[in-house]
Amino acid sequence: MEQFDTDILILGAGGAGLFAALHALQADPDLDVTVAVKGLLGKCGCTRMVQGGYNVALDPRDSLERHFMDTIVGGKWLPRQDLAWRLIEGAVERVRELENELGCFFDRNPDGSLHQKAFAGQSFDRTVHKGDLTGIEIINRLMEQVWARGIRKLEEHRAVALIPAADGSGLAGALLIDMRTGGYRMVRAKATLLATGGGPTMYLYHTPSGDKSCDGMAMAMRLGLPVRDMEMVQFHPTGLLAGLDTRMTGTVLEEGLRGAGGYLLNGDGRRFMADYDRAGERATRDVVSRSIYAEMRAGRTTPMGGAWIEMKHLGPESVAKRFPGMVKRCADCGFDLAGGRVEVVPTAHYMMGGVEFEIDTTTAVPGLFAAGEDCGGVHGANRLGGNGVANSTVFGGIAGDSMAAFVRRNAPLRDPAQAAIDAAVARAETPFALARGDLGDLRDRLWHLMWDDVGILRTADGLRRGLGGLADLRAELYRTGLADGDRAFNLTWHDWLNLESQITVSEVIATAALAREDSRGAHFREDFPETGDLDTTAFTRVTLDTDERPRLSMVRVDFTIVKPGESLIDDEAGAPPATAAE
């Protein structure tokens, strides 16, 4: 096993991880910074896949207070309000940094101001974008800056465990697998950032790429950290439906299509959203996803079992100009977005839940920081489209500043607990000692179980059935080995490790969903369809016991800035409703 030391170790190379690296070096150019990523720097992760844009209150007619109220009401009063305010406030600073320091070219109005388009669930059009390829613009500029600096890059390195210090004083670093050789690497760090992203790839239809498997959340829980809001898995309503034999299925057709006036049609060719919500196609993601799912369940589906999205009434040339990435993506799958109809299906997109963290990105373990989709508390029950990349970049920058300050305070390099390293290696080596099995079948069963029983519409019976099925899958995984004992680029080995993380996190999602006996945002219980009393709103907190079984408690939300029934907006014209019932 190779071991080396660094000042700052960043796990993940999306918007949160790369912003953290740049901010840390900006604070102290002499820091030794290491970025470890499962894939290739700038070519993997979810930030690159962002299409829609970046929410930020820039227009004089908009305000921080209005953006904040949209976020709190959209999150059904579950967000931790100081984190939500820091997101809204920091987005203004960060978008200027993206433009003026990193060189991002966002779309502009004729007067030179940034163009901001409509996204669902917002009382003002505040989404800054680069056509429909915003994430590529942001990640490419971040990648250029990282490559221009002396940052150590560990590409195709998988983190398998967060390793505590031998004396119990905090985190020593992380154990990694070099996927190219199959060898292990222990990286000691004065400060470690968890920025691996979420990625609900345990569902049949899902947005993220296959390398996203909730590893960070699983590692954090095994270290003893609590997670919150894990039942809140957001389904984007319009994932491309191109058949189960292609991974293009599930990739997002961005919300701006509906914001621009796109129609959703059922299999009979009828617009149906007005049957479910007065906002029609511009309702929030959770509402639109449930509405499409209801049409599917009623049998009013397209040939492949979903719904249609139609844009041609807006003018094919206009659609092709405004959404070039979407038009090309659909054309690659045989659909004409500009002039015809495209089949769509709700797709598991984003996890609002995650590790509990503080406003400076510290966690309960000294030396461990967290930012981005690994974290919970910012979005509550529902993330507004455009708040995701803002979350990653705002808190990623804060993490870089915080870690640099932490190292400047003479943070030590801690000796790792050898027993923890040995246990992590033994765990990772498990499948090599087992008889060969069919991981593909296990993965398919996990996809269907989560989609059917822990998906868009939930019941107690379905969730209990799902938990039982997950326990069976876990037991079967630990009886399923690999055909090839070679560690170098053994992708089946990493499939096994992916499944282990996915099953662990899936059990937590189902446990939290069973405990929440009300409906709000992304979590809808058919047996408890009402939202309940907002004044006594509580969030779910889950930890793992020594046998890695979820243990849950409910924690009251502290309304530190605004309470249900109140608003920060003096001019109520166009303001979001103050309660979920309005």
Side-chain angles (χ1 to χ4, degrees), residues 555-569:
V555 182
R556 287 281 293 271
V557 173
D558 190 5
F559 302 120
T560 56
I561 298 176
V562 63
K563 297 177 181 178
E566 300 177 350
S567 176
L568 299 184
I569 306 169

Side-chain angles (χ1 to χ4, degrees), residues 285-360:
R285 291 177 173 181
D286 55 310
V287 172
V288 181
S289 293
R290 288 199 299 272
S291 303
I292 294 175
Y293 190 84
E295 292 293 302
M296 292 168 60
R297 196 160 64 171
R300 296 185 288 269
T301 63
T302 58
M304 283 189 284
W308 299 108
I309 190 166
E310 183 176 274
M311 304 293 294
K312 63 183 178 182
H313 56 283
L314 301 175
E317 290 185 3
S318 174
V319 173
K321 182 178 179 180
R322 294 173 66 181
F323 304 102
M326 296 297 93
V327 170
K328 184 179 186 305
R329 174 172 293 179
C330 292
D332 289 342
C333 295
F335 292 113
D336 180 6
L337 177 64
R341 294 175 177 176
V342 179
E343 290 191 62
V344 293
V345 67
T347 179
H349 182 54
Y350 190 93
M351 301 178 72
M352 275 75 74
V355 176
E356 293 189 40
F357 77 124
E358 296 302 320
I359 202 164
D360 61 356

